[in-house]
Amino acid sequence: MVEFLFEDIFRIERLNPDGKKFDKVIRVEAKSEKFDMFMHLDVMVTKDFELKEGDKFAMVIAPTLNLDGTPDTGYYTPGSRQSLADRFDYVMYGKLYKIADGSGRGIKAEINVSFGGLLMMLRGDPSHCNKFELDQRLYVLMRKV
């Protein structure tokens, strides 16, 4: 079974907080329910996965799409084999390029991931960011709830 690096349900607070920069990309500003994490996430606009303010979505960060947890090559090969992606509506693959450790009282940890130009910033309690490593390849998987 795949061990998730992070899993929570987010509620969208705002879309494009700094104004719309690209036609087919929205920036989601969201807060998680269980761990009280704050996130900015760039999402490609598609008919199959539309988001609006107030929507909730489940998000998982995983190191592999293989259901048995074995590492993958980083290349997606469609076929008859089941994968973690089958359980979600929207999937991105990227690289963690920056970690800001939260040390001290009231300090938040922050991770930054690039998905080929689409970005994610996840900020919150350092105990929820301790499974991440710099230059780590990972998948973000989302589905509306």
Side-chain angles (χ1 to χ4, degrees):
M1 186 69 185
V2 178
E3 182 180 334
F4 299 142
L5 302 171
F6 182 82
E7 179 180 19
D8 208 339
I9 294 176
F10 284 83
R11 183 181 181 282
I12 298 174
E13 295 181 338
R14 296 191 310 168
L15 294 176
N16 301 312
D18 301 324
K20 188 135 175 85
K21 308 250 191 252
F22 302 100
D23 289 337
K24 296 184 179 189
V25 176
I26 57 172
R27 176 155 289 171
V28 173
E29 184 175 285
K31 192 107 174 181
S32 77
E33 292 183 348
K34 187 164 53 170
F35 297 125
D36 196 35
M37 301 289 280
F38 175 81
M39 178 176 64
H40 276 167
L41 177 66
D42 296 340
V43 177
M44 181 71 71
V45 177
T46 69
K47 291 178 184 175
D48 297 328
F49 193 70
E50 293 182 15
L51 297 172
K52 57 186 183 296
E53 288 182 17
D55 281 354
K56 288 185 179 184
F57 61 90
M59 186 182 84
V60 165
I61 301 176
T64 181
L65 291 178
N66 294 329
L67 293 174
D68 61 3
T70 56
D72 58 32
T73 62
Y75 296 99
Y76 177 68
T77 353
S80 60
R81 193 171 145 191
Q82 293 279 319
S83 81
L84 189 59
D86 297 327
R87 300 177 185 172
F88 292 87
D89 302 321
Y90 190 86
V91 180
M92 293 190 292
Y93 178 71
K95 181 178 181 180
L96 195 154
Y97 67 90
K98 181 180 174 186
I99 299 176
D101 285 339
S103 54
R105 188 174 219 198
I107 305 291
K108 305 283 186 183
E110 183 176 300
I111 64 164
N112 293 271
V113 182
S114 175
F115 305 97
L118 299 178
L119 302 175
M120 178 182 80
M121 182 276 300
L122 184 64
R123 182 186 314 135
D125 188 298
S127 65
H128 306 303
C129 299
N130 59 6
K131 295 180 181 177
F132 296 104
E133 299 173 8
L134 194 60
D135 294 329
Q136 186 175 24
R137 301 283 179 170
L138 45 83
Y139 294 90
V140 166
L141 303 102
M142 300 165 50
R143 76 173 161 268
K144 289 176 83 169
V145 293

